[in-house]
Amino acid sequence: MFGYRGKILRVNLTTGEIKKEILDMELAKKYIGGRGLATKLYYDEVGANVEPFDENNKLLIVTGPLTGTAAPTGGRYMVVTKSPLTGTIACSNSGGFFGAELKSAGYDVIIIEGKAKSPVYISIEDDSVEIKDASHLWGRVVSETTDELKKVSKEKAKVLCIGPAGEKLSKIAAVINDYDRAAGRSGVGAVMGSKNLKAIVVKGTGKVDIHDEDNLKQVVQDCIKKIRDNGVTGQGLPTYGTAVLVNIINENGVFPTNNFKEAYFEKADNISGETMTDKYLVRKNPCYRCPIACGRWVKIEPLNMEAGGPEYETLWAFGADCGVDDIQAIFVANHLCNEYGLDTISAGATIAAAMELYEKGLIKDDEIEGTPLKFGNKDAIIEWTKKMGLREGLGDKLAEGSYRLCKMYGAPELSMSVKKQELPAYDPRAIQGHGLEYATSNRGGCHVRGYMISPEILSLPEKLDRHSLENKAEWVKIFQDLTAVIDSLGLCLFTSFALGAEDYAKLLNAACGFDYDKDSILEAGDRIYTLERMFNLEAGIDPSEDTLPKRLLEEPIPEGPSKGHVNRLSELLPKYYEVRGWDEKGVPTKEKLQKLGL
Amino acid sequence: MMHVRVKLFATLRIGREKDKVYEIKDGAKAIDVIDMLNINKDDVKILLINGQDADFYEELKDGDVVSIFPPVGGG
């Protein structure tokens, strides 16, 4: 067994049964691992029509074949289930150290079934797996939970857990590991909470066997050199973190401001990577085996502490999207999201939506017991994150996410979301290809699954005109397929600034003894992507939801460098379906499914 | 003579003003501003004039905003 450990750990919280099963290697090879394998397993075992909070839903924690190996950034794992936010397949990715530890303990996948009668946690020490009482931890924030569990476990055990938001079934609740790394999107934390599962603690002493150690060593060396020589992974990200994007995106005039009403934020520099690094950075905070080290550890002055700092998306969501230019306030809001277990993108964007509802008089003064939900109010982003995390007062409604919140007030069009998941930090009105990614991502409003910002703004791997429609459908497909591969390998997406499909195939082959090449590995990505699409169609997600909020299709950007633009999705979408080999309704054809072996 | 606003980002700020209006000769190109500020061409990855992608040899107009980034960025 090379790369994989060959074992599935199945834990039934209703019956208390714990089973170890052999991983089907044919399946593993075909779907690679991580996102691909988990989606296949989930689809086969649960189907597309279970209710997310139902006892019959399952929660999968899954690593990739390269997780826990010498491959650079080989520490990633995914949380896969049905999303309570979107109703699509939920597939949330996280870094840190938990994934590598799980591989070391001997497991590729954990399948969690059923529901415990009272709060529990799962303790894994190599072969020894137990379900233990967690009633003393229920209600406690992530750092306290993690500290407690580390105290009673083996030294250097890694902890994955939910905070109060997941316990209270917030549809934007995250799973947090290693204090401040998040499997953030799609409400996966709430599914964990619905099972009364507070945490998983893991300690492993084993190691991953490699098919060809010498070959892997050489390929890894080549990859690390490419990563170091690349401007993004070798300079920008290590120096400034993902926050380096704030000024880049703003100068292009595509930095969504005040709930996407505008796209240029005058005070962007105050919440930028440059400001963070100059004034508040304590040190880098790298994940397992990562030469990029984009993570930040910062000084949070209002709390008189040092902790994990915000990513670009977080600086945007709590910053420009809410009209706030106080970086320390954003540090606090970010920290609260880590503690309560909330997705920072959805949390900030939901507050922004609430701010617009309030501005338009739909949320009234007498409903707000607390700081007014006004654009630009730095206290609001802190207070409302807390109220959301604890589901207090109006925060209870915000905890449902922006779509359901706006619908409650009769204005769903004010939710800047796709398939009910909040859009991230780039205005697609002036980045045409990226708009197509938003509209077609299998998990709703998501930037990362087809990161067209790379070519359209950062000129990587080459420069594309962001206003042009030419070849955008083809590019989006390639990015989406390649990302599916990376998410299935257990590596970090940021390696793709420096590495290509050939590199990933070489890493996988060296570790596992497979014979993938550039084309067959991208085909595996297409297979995984298409499988997700089939799942979503069966789950009742209609292709008419491959769209964008009305504002972004019809209201031109009012000011700034990208003034006057709208997104022209209707001109791109048919081409995208064609390029994907789907029919004009957006459904994969029989021929396409056959070709992919689905 | 004309005036252009030059905004520098990330490592290009080291030893330079991050946001300043300069007086330059009429018909000057983006590359002239880059040279004037002692920036190495290889250190320029994103060059925007009024928020739009530009190349080094584009002529500037009075009142233009030039934004210059080194190779960085992604998230």
Side-chain angles (χ1 to χ4, degrees), chain A residues 227-241, chain B residues 11 43 70-73:
Chain A
I227 288 169
R228 292 228 151 96
D229 288 345
N230 178 279
V232 173
T233 52
Q235 234 175 276
L237 287 175
T239 312
Y240 298 99
Chain B
T11 46
D43 288 336
V72 279

Side-chain angles (χ1 to χ4, degrees), chain A residues 19-270:
Chain A
K19 280 194 281 191
K20 286 153 200 175
E21 301 168 356
I22 297 176
L23 176 65
D24 178 340
M25 282 311 298
E26 283 304 313
L27 216 61
K29 184 171 180 187
K30 192 172 176 185
Y31 295 94
I32 301 178
R35 173 176 163 189
L37 178 64
T39 300
K40 175 65 177 159
L41 289 172
Y42 183 89
Y43 199 175
D44 284 350
E45 286 194 21
V46 187
N49 291 300
V50 82
E51 285 301 314
F53 294 153
D54 193 283
E55 195 171 330
N56 292 324
N57 190 14
K58 299 188 188 186
L59 185 73
L60 274 62
I61 311 278
V62 58
T63 62
L66 295 179
T67 308
T69 67
T73 78
R76 295 225 147 222
Y77 74 97
M78 316 242 17
V79 180
V80 175
T81 186
K82 190 164 190 211
S83 169
L85 180 67
T86 60
T88 65
I89 186 82
C91 195
S92 233
N93 185 302
S94 181
F97 298 86
F98 182 88
E101 198 73 26
L102 183 62
K103 268 308 256 308
S104 176
Y107 309 98
D108 300 293
V109 187
I110 309 176
I111 299 179
I112 299 159
E113 306 173 326
K115 176 179 178 165
K117 284 184 203 56
S118 60
V120 295
Y121 73 94
I122 299 172
S123 163
I124 303 172
E125 283 175 27
D126 291 325
D127 282 329
S128 168
V129 181
E130 289 180 75
I131 301 170
K132 295 186 170 176
D133 177 45
S135 38
H136 58 299
L137 297 171
W138 202 251
R140 296 173 77 176
V141 295
V142 167
S143 64
E144 283 175 22
T145 304
T146 306
D147 287 341
E148 268 305 310
L149 288 171
K150 278 162 100 76
K151 251 192 277 181
V152 301
S153 308
K154 285 257 145 53
E155 204 198 320
K156 297 204 180 150
K158 306 292 181 235
V159 177
L160 168 164
C161 65
I162 55 174
E167 295 172 8
K168 293 172 192 289
L169 309 185
S170 165
K171 290 186 171 60
I172 56 173
V175 165
I176 308 284
N177 61 286
D178 304 305
Y179 294 98
D180 63 7
R181 306 305 315 190
R185 310 229 63 200
S186 311
V188 294
V191 174
M192 195 161 153
S194 76
K195 295 184 171 310
N196 277 331
L197 179 61
K198 177 67 175 173
I200 305 176
V201 193
V202 66
K203 178 77 188 105
T205 61
K207 67 181 214 20
V208 179
D209 287 325
I210 300 298
H211 172 251
D212 187 339
E213 293 268 10
D214 290 332
N215 185 12
L216 183 65
K217 197 166 168 206
Q218 185 57 57
V219 177
V220 167
Q221 257 172 38
D222 294 341
C223 288
I224 290 181
K225 180 164 193 322
K226 287 182 184 178
I227 288 169
R228 292 228 151 96
D229 288 345
N230 178 279
V232 173
T233 52
Q235 234 175 276
L237 287 175
T239 312
Y240 298 99
T242 57
V244 73
L245 276 173
V246 170
N247 278 324
I248 296 175
I249 300 303
N250 194 53
E251 289 301 299
N252 275 277
V254 289
F255 197 42
T257 297
N258 297 330
N259 200 38
F260 282 82
K261 285 193 294 170
E262 291 96 36
Y264 182 76
F265 192 49
E266 273 299 334
K267 301 275 178 70
D269 198 39
N270 292 359

Side-chain angles (χ1 to χ4, degrees), chain A residues 426-437:
Chain A
Y426 315 85
D427 198 315
R429 286 176 283 194
I431 319 170
Q432 299 300 327
H434 200 64
L436 179 61
E437 151 61 15

